[in-house]
Amino acid sequence: MVKRGENQIMQRSVLVIEDESEIAELVKLHLRDLGCQVKLAFDGIVGVAEAEAKNYDLVILDLMLPGIDGLEVCRRLRSKSNYTPILMLTSKATELDRVLGLEMGADDYLTKPFNVMELVARVKAIFRRIDALNRGDTKSGEKIVSSGNLRLDITKREAILDGEPLELTTKEFDLLFHLMQNSGRVYSRSQLLDNVWGYNHSGYEHTVNSFINRVRNKIELDPAKPCRIVTVRGVGYKFSEHKE
Ligand code: CA
């Protein structure tokens, strides 16, 4: 049971796209305890249509679905500039690499079988982050950060590189914004998980590496020799002011 006050704060709508009805119902039950309105979709096609028809606060998306799979659902939503946070459920550890390796734009993921309290913690972390973003509530209060020809506006969720819009997924944006906002400061992978993902779990550090590489591919002239997001050996990463 959740305290009444918390219920009121957490009034949100969540779309769960999951073909295993037992899991879908279990997730629904716990999200309702958080005060969320929950809609279930049992395949990818219905899920995409539902996500496009209504403004959800969160989509919980199973990877393996009949019809189109979770990756394709992600791609279709993001290609139409739908940036609703997506929490991906994957059933095998081997799928994880596939999920992370692809440019599919999920915000977070959980491996099945998952502990339902872990799911609830992730969902709360996503909501907290979204609230902070909606308030324009960044640590230093800055809403725009820039370095050379790269500029990020957190209110508009807009990234510009060389005068052209730069496509970043939600997490890529958050990661880059965080590093730029604290330019010059070195962060460990564990700190970045805390600050950008909102939770910390040993074993998820490779997620950070994967996202760093993806962002580098988008902003570095030579991703093999990054000069913006710099690796500090044995410590982590920092954003380095770009010299034109
Ligand atoms: Ca499934």
Side-chain angles (χ1 to χ4, degrees):
M1 275 306 288
V2 190
K3 289 188 289 292
R4 180 66 49 199
E6 195 170 350
N7 277 345
Q8 283 160 359
I9 295 163
M10 300 285 288
Q11 181 60 249
R12 328 260 178 169
S13 61
V14 182
L15 173 63
V16 180
I17 311 176
E18 164 65 87
D19 59 314
E20 288 166 82
S21 57
E22 280 176 23
I23 294 177
E25 292 294 342
L26 182 73
V27 169
K28 182 177 178 178
L29 199 71
H30 282 84
L31 291 178
R32 277 191 169 170
D33 271 356
L34 284 179
C36 300
Q37 290 185 320
V38 184
K39 174 85 179 176
L40 301 183
F42 297 100
D43 73 68
I45 303 276
V46 174
V48 170
E50 186 59 42
E52 285 172 347
K54 202 184 152 197
N55 225 347
Y56 284 94
D57 296 302
L58 172 67
V59 175
I60 296 180
L61 175 62
D62 186 30
L63 180 61
M64 301 305 287
L65 291 166
I68 56 171
D69 70 7
L71 294 179
E72 182 59 24
V73 170
C74 252
R75 253 183 241 115
R76 289 192 189 183
L77 292 179
R78 297 304 192 226
S79 72
K80 290 182 184 163
S81 298
N82 181 323
Y83 295 114
T84 306
I86 295 177
L87 173 60
M88 196 85 161
L89 305 177
T90 70
S91 49
K92 282 180 286 185
T94 50
E95 287 170 354
L96 217 55
D97 293 332
R98 199 175 146 231
V99 170
L100 290 173
L102 286 170
E103 200 50 41
M104 38 72 79
D107 293 80
D108 202 355
Y109 61 88
L110 264 182
T111 312
K112 289 179 177 177
F114 54 84
N115 178 318
V116 84
M117 296 322 291
E118 176 65 20
L119 175 88
V120 167
R122 298 293 183 87
V123 168
K124 283 182 174 177
I126 290 173
F127 287 160
R128 271 198 305 273
R129 188 175 55 78
I130 296 300
D131 282 349
L133 289 177
N134 287 342
R135 286 196 304 267
D137 184 15
T138 59
K139 267 175 198 154
S140 67
E142 286 171 292
K143 290 169 185 168
I144 295 172
V145 292
S146 65
S147 170
N149 55 359
L150 176 64
R151 183 177 185 276
L152 268 61
D153 182 329
I154 198 151
T155 315
K156 296 181 189 164
R157 303 292 293 173
E158 183 183 75
I160 304 285
L161 178 63
D162 273 334
E164 299 286 329
L166 176 67
E167 294 281 329
L168 294 172
T169 66
T170 316
K171 270 295 186 255
E172 290 168 359
F173 188 100
D174 293 345
L175 176 62
L176 181 57
F177 191 91
H178 180 71
L179 288 171
M180 287 179 73
Q181 191 180 31
N182 299 282
S183 180
R185 189 178 153 184
V186 184
Y187 289 94
S188 67
R189 290 168 185 82
S190 164
Q191 285 172 325
L192 289 173
L193 274 175
D194 267 340
N195 296 337
V196 179
W197 277 259
Y199 60 86
N200 198 345
H201 270 277
S202 57
Y204 284 92
E205 277 79 8
H206 66 283
T207 303
V208 176
N209 299 2
S210 162
F211 274 80
I212 290 277
N213 288 336
R214 284 158 50 172
V215 174
R216 277 176 172 162
N217 283 331
K218 295 180 177 183
I219 65 166
E220 300 283 358
L221 275 178
D222 180 1
K225 290 179 189 158
C227 60
R228 286 185 146 134
I229 300 180
V230 180
T231 303
V232 180
R233 208 159 288 283
V235 188
Y237 302 102
K238 69 171 181 179
F239 190 86
S240 177
E241 280 301 322
H242 190 60
K243 313 275 185 307
E244 291 297 299

